[in-house]
Amino acid sequence: MGIGTEASSSAPLLPLHPSGKSDHLSSQTKTFANVFIAIVGAGVLGLPYTFMRTGWAAGVITLLAVSALTFHCMMLLVKTRRRLDAKISSFGDLGAAVCGAGGRLSVDLMIVLSQAGFCVGYLIFISNSLAHLYPLETPISSVLFAPKAIYIWALLPFQLGLNSIKTLTLLAPLSIFADVVDLGAMGVVLGQDVSIFLSNQLPVRAFSNPSMLLYGIGVAVYAFEGIGMVLPLEAEAKDKSKFGGTLGLSMFFIAIMYGSFGVLGYLAFGDDTRDIITTNFGGGWLTLVVQLGLCINLFFTMPIMMNPVYEVAERWFCGKNYCWWLRWGLVLLVCMGAMLVPNFADFLSLIGSSVCIVLGFVLPSAFHLKVFGGEMGWGGIAADIAVVMIGTVLAASGTWSSLMAIFNSTQV
């Protein structure tokens, strides 16, 4: 879920080359890099706070489990596409091929909710970071005029302009900037975490209240969301027989990196860990540059993130025609959502627990079961049914748990 490419977690934004032009296809190294860019994103900044709530050992175990299950479901999509038609280019196309209009509608609905949810999370991050760096006093005690809401209102006209751009081509260079800023920020944060931990070792918990496990699962699923990118990436791979191994290695590397980031952040600040780890640091110039860089990065990424939402919405309501007022209305809804949610990590858990679990686990297993059910043994059938059932239960219970956390939360 790379900050600059997270939109492509739901739509095939990478160009698909004809199979005969193998010189344009991706090597294993490039495939590894593309998987990394497609998955790693701003959700990592909420992991230290999540580990504070779950305990560092429980957080690491959850991350590894979610990483393994995400990899398994990605490969289910690849196998299903290979059986049906190698020319299927997106998750939505696969849903239509397996279950007709209902399958496409299910995928489209999850895409709209997840991508819009990512954008709400980005605006929460931007507004909370700016309110932390430059506090405001507001005379009106209303959530729509709170300090973070003032920043969102100030950004709204510029977002309306950026989201009016018809084509992603003009926005594509921003993804390179976003990836560089993302990796640079993570490096700086890790360095400061280690320095603070070595100078001031605080008590931490390996395991917390078991009720926090659902919360941790939601954030972990959000952090690994990228299921929609697997079909375009597999189509781009030069040696498709090695794609599974490359994807698995990428997921393992990302899981180790995520675990290190979450553990070190929690070790550095203990129970004072905030929902956005960068707000734990002081007011030094390096911290200021990192936070402002991330805010600028996410600000310009939002139109890319919203593009799959516009594709679906304009197909539903405008006959696939460009519609500026529909886009403006969706941007306004996303901004209002960001104003109403107080906590960044709580919202990550909500999106991960709800739409990301359905999109990443339930639908791939259901599609695979429908296509291969007649030829699989009882073990394979039971595995697919188990993932569908467990995913459905986790989505329902995790969504409820996350909503309760949001309703009971105060601004962190």
Side-chain angles (χ1 to χ4, degrees), residues 104-110 112 309-320 326:
R104 180 179 290 279
L105 178 62
S106 298
V107 175
D108 283 350
L109 183 60
M110 294 300 105
V112 168
V309 179
Y310 300 145
E311 289 180 353
V312 173
E314 288 171 349
R315 172 156 43 86
W316 283 353
F317 302 111
C318 304
K320 298 184 179 181
L326 180 59

Side-chain angles (χ1 to χ4, degrees), residues 359-379:
L359 194 63
F361 301 152
V362 175
L363 292 181
S365 300
F367 292 166
H368 182 264
L369 179 63
K370 183 173 178 60
V371 172
F372 289 94
E375 60 191 71
M376 288 193 300
W378 284 108

Side-chain angles (χ1 to χ4, degrees), residues 66 69-70 73 221 356-366 387-388 391:
V66 169
L69 185 56
T70 300
C73 290
V221 172
C356 290
I357 284 183
V358 175
L359 194 63
F361 301 152
V362 175
L363 292 181
S365 300
V387 173
V388 171

Side-chain angles (χ1 to χ4, degrees), residues 1-39:
M1 227 170 21
I3 287 180
T5 56
E6 197 163 351
S8 57
S9 68
S10 296
L13 301 184
L14 294 180
L16 299 177
H17 302 293
S19 59
K21 298 182 179 180
S22 61
D23 55 318
H24 293 294
L25 299 180
S26 300
S27 64
Q28 287 178 265
T29 302
K30 185 177 179 181
T31 299
F32 180 95
N34 282 337
V35 173
F36 182 87
I37 291 171
I39 291 177

